[in-house]
Amino acid sequence: MFVVGCDSPPSAESPLPAVARVLLRTPLSVASVVSSFIALHPRAHDLWVSAASNAGESDVIALLDAGAARVVLDASSELFPSLPYDRIVARFSTADDLAVDAFKPAVNAIIVPADLSSADFLSSIAAIKEICKRKNMGLIVEDVSNGILSSDVVASLDKMGLDIILQERKTNLSTLSEYLFVCLVSDRADGLVATAIVDEQRVCLGVAYSSAMSLAHAIENKVGAYYSRSRNGLWIKGLTSGAVQALERIDRDCDSDCLQFTVRQAAPGFCHLNTRTCFGPDSGLTALQSTLQLRKENAPKGSYTAKLFDDSKLLHAKIREEADELCAATTRDDIAWETADLFYFSLAKCVANGVGLNEIEAHLEKRAKKVTRRPGNAKPGYIEKDSSSQAAAAASVPPVQGSPVLDIKMKVYDSTALSSSERSSLLLRPILNLSEISARVAPIIESVRTTGDAALIALTSKFDGVQLSSTVVRAPFSSESMRLDPRVKAAIDSAFENIKMFHAAQVNAGTLTVETMPGVVCSRFSRPIERVGLYVPGGTAILPSTTLMLGVPAMVAGCKEIVIASPPRRDGTPVPEVVYVASKIGASAIVLAGGAQAIAAMAFGTESVPKVDKIVGPGNQYVTAAKMQLQNDTKAMISIDMPAGPSELLVGVIADNDANPAYVVSDLLSQAEHGTDSQVILVAIAPTPTFVAAIQRELQAQGEALPRRDIVRVSISKSYIITVPDISSALEFSNLYAPEHLILHIEEPATVLPRIQNAGSVFVGPWSPESCGDYASGTNHTLPTYGYARMYSGVNTDTFVKWITSQEVSRDGLDAGGLGDVVLTLAEVEGLEAHRNALVCGLNEINFPFKMVYTIVVHLYAKDDPECIAKLHNKLVEASAVYSKDKETISWFVMQDHIDKRAFTIVERYEQESSQQYHLGNPYWQTFDPYVIPLLDRPMDLRRFNELEGEVPV
């Protein structure tokens, strides 16, 4: 056992009391401190208190009555004989075996200090341990060393059966979890420790395993965290389902080979089958409490259940009635019956006021620790009260009618009564962030990347329970593998044609061409993505419709290779409906795998699975996490369509009863049945109470009739109805929520389409149920969820194409059109010299400075020699054929009758600025090559030369 010595009580947020007993070192004589600690940590380990040196017998009794499990007194105290010995601990100032042996009072245990970092501390403690054993009292060793205790020392003391008081300043949650784990015993090769999970009433919810890592996470975060053998890593209960656990306390059994986690379990419960326990539905008082809480939230207005919670006089009358009837009962059966009635109405009183069983039991446990006993009497007026009159008065109260343990009902919120924070919370999805799921997905991705088909086969066996002989089925697919009922085949064919027609109309085969400046032509054209992977979920439903929704647009777009991944059936074969659609769309292969492993296989490629360039398709959180990870993995080099996750729905409904409740509810349930992590919302516009009641009745009736009602029961519990005053408010809420599906059950629904900003797909009017879009109307049902409709579109033909742009700039466009100057200026601003030079080379060729060449050469060489000038003229004329310059312009340059000094000044300045030297003294120029480009060492900055020409005065 660990005891942590603290100078002050731990805060309400501290997990410390959940793991170890707390000893308040600061001497106390005030019982209120103990009471406050118990209130903050009702399920904590025992609280030990050091009594003040001047504390009297009444002070110690008050501490015990307040809930202190043990009170620590100095060994020299004279109070021991008058106190309950089993609740008192004596503290010694030194580890002196003679002093301990001479100690006479009977106590529960003694505390001795020890330097646990010294090499011989065990030998010094051994003698005291034998004395305590002989005197039938416990021995607790208080660490007074300066360093942090090693795990080996803690384990050694624990094996000796010694309890340890740790110093708070040296003990953080990480070291405490480490100490606890080293004291555990495991008979498993992997070192995992069996862990029983119980609720606050010690009802066992299920069994799991703990590792050092999971134990540390649980303690540090006060959550139910365990080690998952199937996932080979950390499992935080409720992270994805919402059925979270708040950790209240950790205990170990007598042999230290099993842990017990006491938790507060959120609905629907611990089991993956959505029951509160893994051993079936809950029972007893905990089940009654859950039932009453649900009835309080969902009781129809005016019902007897609602009256019990709303009318305190009626409830109090029932409690008194049942108490009197219990008093009048005589037989065993009657006593049990009336006690059950009294429990029911007493617990109804508690639920009505937000009091839980855990608080009741905390008071019972606190009373069990009281030393002072109640006087054996009753309040005046109760002993002689006439029970018969009470029974007669209660005869007119009707009995409580039964109802299902968990009704299929939606919570109702009034938008006008919500604060801004409450309204914002309703816009949040029930799905938590992907960080934890990503940690689970990462090793799956790496396994597939490194071992390929072997990992795919192993993971399919692990997660799907299917042993594959082959990971891929390649086209052409056998007729046997797609044998279908003719009705099913005809339905698929019809849906195929509708989807094909709508998506073919989206194809844009033309080229967009725009002349942005004279001589500058830009264009855009599309090309199909060559290799695409389509993920078709399996699991709880067969989804040939998803194969159509992904495959038809890919086919229409012209993708050369289409690969489908979908979990296999139990016999290792693909679903026939999926194979049939795969054949129609021209798929090359079907990968027999689901989940993150299928996504990784298509992203990297394996020995049998072709690598693709883009992956599209919906899936659970693991599929979504894998897609998002891999699109950022440069080794995979893929893109994805969108982070499409569990389905959701938003429905707008008017309040004048023109909307048919049956139609509305059928739309809600069509999405709620997808999975327990789905969410549906009904936005009701100024609804009457009758309309809302009709919706709730339809939910119960239609939901209970569904084969997937257990899934619906959970998803509906996360869903809600929000009432709004008008259509504008409804659309405002819808646009903020950005639903995957938006169904309009309102008058003239088409008129509000221009006001819809964020939605995956809209279903207009009562004759456009969401199911039409799911299967066969022609639109696509793979849509953005989680609110991603704010920035993503659903799957469409463009999902499977990429757009390429081109630009063609003519000689005149670069020069006369002005594009060259624009680019030069921006390249200068950004300091990218190579970009700038790329333009300078072209512009210099176009605008070769014939006048400057003539000026330099004539001024330095020809001077007034007419024969040389004529020769230069002829050479420049020849050059004009190469550089496409106007011959008359060149002649004009040549025929100038004089060379002024201004031109030479310009050349000199340019030379000084740019450090470019004109090698005009080279013999090369004695012959004057007509291709005059080699005049300069590097491309000339024509723009700067022209600026200088403007700066030098004429």
Side-chain angles (χ1 to χ4, degrees):
M1 179 192 72
F2 301 115
V3 182
V4 178
C6 302
D7 293 326
S8 59
S11 68
E13 293 75 27
S14 172
L16 180 62
V19 189
R21 294 174 178 173
V22 171
L23 167 62
L24 293 181
R25 292 177 181 275
T26 305
L28 292 179
S29 59
V30 181
S32 60
V33 175
V34 178
S35 298
S36 298
F37 177 92
I38 300 297
L40 289 174
H41 306 280
R43 292 291 165 188
H45 283 272
D46 292 339
L47 173 66
W48 293 16
V49 177
S50 297
S53 58
N54 61 348
E57 177 183 341
S58 60
D59 296 319
V60 175
I61 295 297
L63 293 172
L64 294 172
D65 283 347
R70 303 286 186 273
V71 173
V72 179
L73 300 173
D74 189 86
S76 61
S77 174
E78 297 178 356
L79 298 177
F80 292 107
S82 59
L83 298 172
Y85 76 94
D86 59 333
R87 305 274 296 282
I88 303 299
V89 176
R91 183 199 295 274
F92 287 78
S93 58
T94 61
D96 185 345
D97 58 333
L98 295 177
V100 172
D101 195 32
F103 184 71
K104 301 303 181 184
V107 292
N108 176 267
I110 66 168
I111 298 174
V112 296
D115 183 355
L116 299 182
S117 63
S118 66
D120 60 346
F121 81 91
L122 286 176
S123 58
S124 65
I125 293 296
I128 298 177
K129 183 175 183 296
E130 288 302 314
I131 295 170
C132 290
K133 183 177 180 181
R134 173 165 46 85
K135 292 192 171 191
N136 197 27
M137 60 186 183
L139 173 59
I140 304 164
V141 179
E142 184 170 19
D143 174 37
V144 294
S145 62
N146 293 321
I148 296 176
L149 292 182
S150 71
S151 299
D152 292 340
V153 169
V154 173
S156 298
L157 288 168
D158 192 70
K159 286 180 180 178
M160 292 176 63
L162 297 177
D163 297 328
I164 313 167
I165 297 178
L166 303 168
Q167 299 180 41
E168 183 185 25
R169 65 179 179 84
K170 299 193 307 178
T171 308
N172 57 35
L173 296 174
S174 178
T175 57
L176 197 56
S177 66
E178 180 182 348
Y179 292 160
L180 176 56
F181 196 78
V182 297
C183 295
L184 299 174
V185 178
S186 174
D187 57 359
R188 294 174 54 90
D190 54 14
L192 298 179
V193 178
T195 304
I197 299 101
V198 302
D199 67 9
E200 299 141 298
Q201 285 72 52
R202 299 295 178 94
V203 175
C204 186
L205 303 176
V207 179
Y209 287 88
S210 293
S211 66
M213 171 190 64
S214 69
L215 185 61
H217 189 95
I219 291 173
E220 292 177 21
N221 297 280
K222 292 183 73 174
V223 296
Y226 313 97
Y227 187 91
S228 170
R229 294 171 297 163
S230 62
R231 299 167 184 165
N232 195 29
L234 184 65
W235 167 41
I236 302 175
K237 173 60 186 168
L239 189 64
T240 56
S241 67
V244 295
Q245 292 179 343
L247 180 63
E248 293 284 339
R249 175 170 169 157
I250 297 178
D251 296 274
R252 51 177 167 151
D253 73 346
C254 55
D255 296 319
S256 293
D257 58 2
C258 182
L259 287 171
Q260 177 180 270
F261 276 36
T262 303
V263 300
R264 286 200 315 274
Q265 176 66 61
F270 179 77
C271 185
H272 69 285
L273 298 178
N274 297 317
T275 56
R276 193 162 183 274
T277 83
C278 286
F279 308 104
D282 205 357
S283 61
L285 289 176
T286 54
L288 176 60
Q289 177 176 254
S290 298
T291 300
L292 287 170
Q293 287 169 341
L294 287 170
R295 289 178 177 175
K296 179 187 176 185
E297 294 174 2
N298 301 312
K301 192 172 182 63
S303 67
Y304 180 56
T305 303
K307 289 179 182 177
L308 279 177
F309 290 116
D310 296 337
D311 187 348
S312 60
K313 290 183 178 179
L314 173 61
L315 180 57
H316 294 166
K318 288 298 297 179
I319 293 172
R320 285 191 292 268
E321 171 196 343
E322 300 303 337
D324 285 344
E325 289 180 354
L326 174 59
C327 294
T330 55
T331 67
R332 291 170 59 91
D333 204 34
D334 285 346
I335 292 171
W337 178 275
E338 299 303 338
T339 301
D341 280 348
L342 185 57
F343 277 175
Y344 181 94
F345 290 102
S346 298
L347 201 51
K349 166 83 172 179
C350 293
V351 169
N353 292 277
V355 177
L357 283 172
N358 59 319
E359 293 170 84
I360 298 170
E361 292 187 354
H363 279 283
L364 290 174
E365 290 172 6
K366 182 178 177 181
R367 290 177 189 179
K369 293 176 181 176
K370 286 178 70 72
V371 175
T372 305
R373 299 302 177 192
R374 293 180 181 181
N377 56 16
K379 291 181 179 179
Y382 280 84
I383 295 178
E384 302 300 329
K385 183 172 284 189
D386 182 6
S387 61
S388 60
S389 61
Q390 294 294 325
S396 60
V397 180
V400 177
Q401 301 299 314
S403 65
V405 173
L406 182 60
D407 290 342
I408 302 177
K409 289 189 175 182
M410 297 171 73
K411 295 182 284 290
V412 181
Y413 299 98
D414 180 356
S415 65
T416 61
L418 296 174
S419 66
S420 58
S421 61
E422 289 171 333
R423 184 182 177 88
S424 297
S425 68
L426 289 180
L427 294 170
L428 298 175
R429 268 45 175 192
I431 310 301
L432 304 180
N433 67 60
L434 294 173
S435 59
E436 171 61 25
I437 297 171
S438 296
R440 300 179 193 171
V441 164
I444 295 174
I445 292 174
E446 183 61 19
S447 177
V448 174
R449 187 185 72 82
T450 55
T451 61
D453 282 352
L456 209 55
I457 290 171
L459 292 166
T460 301
S461 174
K462 178 179 180 180
F463 295 130
D464 298 318
V466 179
Q467 191 61 47
L468 296 175
S469 57
S470 173
T471 57
V472 172
V473 177
R474 292 194 174 275
F477 308 112
S478 67
S479 57
E480 183 67 25
S481 66
M482 44 185 171
R483 181 176 296 173
L484 298 174
D485 183 306
R487 290 174 56 255
V488 174
K489 185 176 289 189
I492 290 175
D493 289 343
S494 181
F496 176 88
E497 292 301 326
N498 286 353
I499 297 166
K500 179 183 175 183
M501 183 183 300
F502 183 67
H503 287 79
Q506 300 170 27
V507 174
N508 189 344
T511 299
L512 171 70
T513 303
V514 177
E515 186 174 25
T516 57
M517 299 175 74
V520 181
V521 178
C522 298
S523 62
R524 189 183 81 144
F525 48 90
S526 67
R527 295 289 183 268
I529 297 171
E530 294 188 20
R531 305 172 299 177
V532 295
L534 316 181
Y535 183 78
V536 178
T540 60
I542 299 170
L543 298 174
S545 59
T546 300
T547 320
L548 285 166
M549 296 295 175
L550 303 176
V552 173
M555 176 194 72
V556 166
C559 299
K560 291 181 180 178
E561 183 168 22
I562 300 173
V563 178
I564 296 172
S566 189
R569 296 185 296 178
R570 286 293 178 185
D571 62 358
T573 62
V575 176
E577 292 86 351
V578 171
V579 180
Y580 180 62
V581 176
S583 177
K584 288 182 73 72
I585 65 171
S588 62
I590 299 175
V591 182
L592 300 173
Q597 60 270 26
I599 303 298
M602 293 191 290
F604 294 115
T606 70
E607 300 91 327
S608 63
V609 179
K611 183 194 172 358
V612 301
D613 302 312
K614 185 171 186 175
I615 297 176
V616 302
N620 60 20
Q621 295 96 326
Y622 298 97
V623 169
T624 300
K627 287 169 64 178
M628 295 178 76
Q629 278 191 41
L630 287 164
Q631 75 169 338
N632 295 317
D633 189 331
T634 55
K635 297 187 290 293
M637 284 294 290
I638 63 157
S639 69
I640 66 171
D641 50 348
M642 70 188 103
S647 194
E648 62 192 17
L649 183 73
L650 187 70
V651 182
V653 181
I654 59 173
D656 60 3
N657 296 319
D658 286 349
N660 188 322
Y663 291 2
V664 173
V665 168
S666 65
D667 276 330
L668 291 168
L669 295 177
S670 71
Q671 294 306 298
E673 73 172 354
H674 272 290
T676 56
D677 48 5
S678 294
Q679 183 185 40
V680 295
I681 297 173
L682 172 59
V683 179
I685 305 170
T688 63
T690 302
F691 182 81
V692 174
I695 293 289
Q696 300 285 27
R697 283 196 303 272
E698 285 291 337
L699 279 168
Q700 185 70 39
Q702 292 188 34
E704 288 291 353
L706 293 172
R708 296 163 71 86
R709 57 183 169 272
D710 289 337
I711 291 174
V712 166
R713 205 182 299 278
V714 178
S715 58
I716 287 294
S717 71
K718 302 175 184 176
S719 305
Y720 59 86
I721 300 170
I722 182 168
T723 64
V724 296
D726 50 42
I727 184 64
S728 294
S729 301
L731 292 174
E732 178 188 5
F733 185 88
S734 174
N735 284 327
L736 288 171
Y737 189 83
E740 178 189 12
H741 306 92
L742 173 59
I743 302 181
L744 301 173
H745 283 281
I746 59 175
E747 287 184 352
E748 300 182 0
T751 61
V752 304
L753 287 176
R755 300 166 66 184
I756 296 169
Q757 299 297 321
N758 302 317
S761 190
V762 184
F763 300 82
V764 184
W767 309 113
S768 307
E770 190 275 334
S771 303
C772 291
D774 261 357
Y775 292 109
S777 65
T779 60
N780 210 289
H781 79 198
T782 305
L783 304 168
T785 59
Y786 296 170
Y788 282 110
R790 293 186 188 91
M791 68 291 289
Y792 282 94
S793 304
V795 167
N796 54 75
T797 304
D798 279 353
T799 303
F800 297 94
V801 302
K802 57 184 181 290
W803 292 92
I804 302 172
T805 60
S806 69
Q807 48 273 305
E808 182 178 2
V809 183
S810 68
R811 187 186 191 93
D812 288 340
L814 189 62
D815 180 24
L819 181 61
D821 280 344
V822 171
V823 176
L824 280 173
T825 300
L826 294 176
E828 281 181 5
V829 170
E830 295 185 356
L832 299 176
E833 187 66 19
H835 282 66
R836 187 175 170 282
N837 286 341
L839 266 293
V840 167
C841 289
L843 288 171
N844 280 355
E845 181 173 323
I846 295 169
N847 295 315
F848 192 80
F850 289 99
K851 183 175 181 181
M852 187 186 76
V853 171
Y854 174 78
T855 299
I856 295 170
V857 175
V858 172
H859 189 70
L860 298 181
Y861 288 91
K863 297 193 185 303
D864 297 322
D865 186 345
E867 187 178 340
C868 184
I869 292 174
K871 184 179 179 180
L872 175 62
H873 172 261
N874 293 334
K875 294 297 184 183
L876 288 174
V877 169
E878 290 176 20
S880 72
V882 178
Y883 297 105
S884 302
K885 291 300 285 188
D886 186 342
K887 291 183 180 180
E888 280 106 14
T889 303
I890 294 172
S891 298
W892 182 85
F893 288 155
V894 173
M895 298 308 294
Q896 295 296 306
D897 57 2
H898 71 278
I899 303 298
D900 58 50
K901 292 183 179 181
R902 177 173 172 274
F904 192 67
T905 302
I906 294 169
V907 173
E908 281 186 324
R909 287 197 186 180
Y910 181 84
E911 181 181 317
Q912 290 168 2
E913 279 190 10
S914 62
S915 300
Q916 298 185 46
Q917 301 298 318
Y918 300 97
H919 295 170
L920 301 179
N922 193 300
Y924 173 83
W925 290 101
Q926 301 301 322
T927 57
F928 191 71
D929 190 317
Y931 302 94
V932 292
I933 282 292
L935 173 64
L936 304 176
D937 281 345
R938 58 183 180 179
M940 186 190 70
D941 187 346
L942 181 62
R943 185 171 178 275
R944 180 56 184 153
F945 180 81
N946 290 335
E947 288 175 354
L948 287 170
E949 191 173 21
E951 292 174 7
V952 176
V954 177

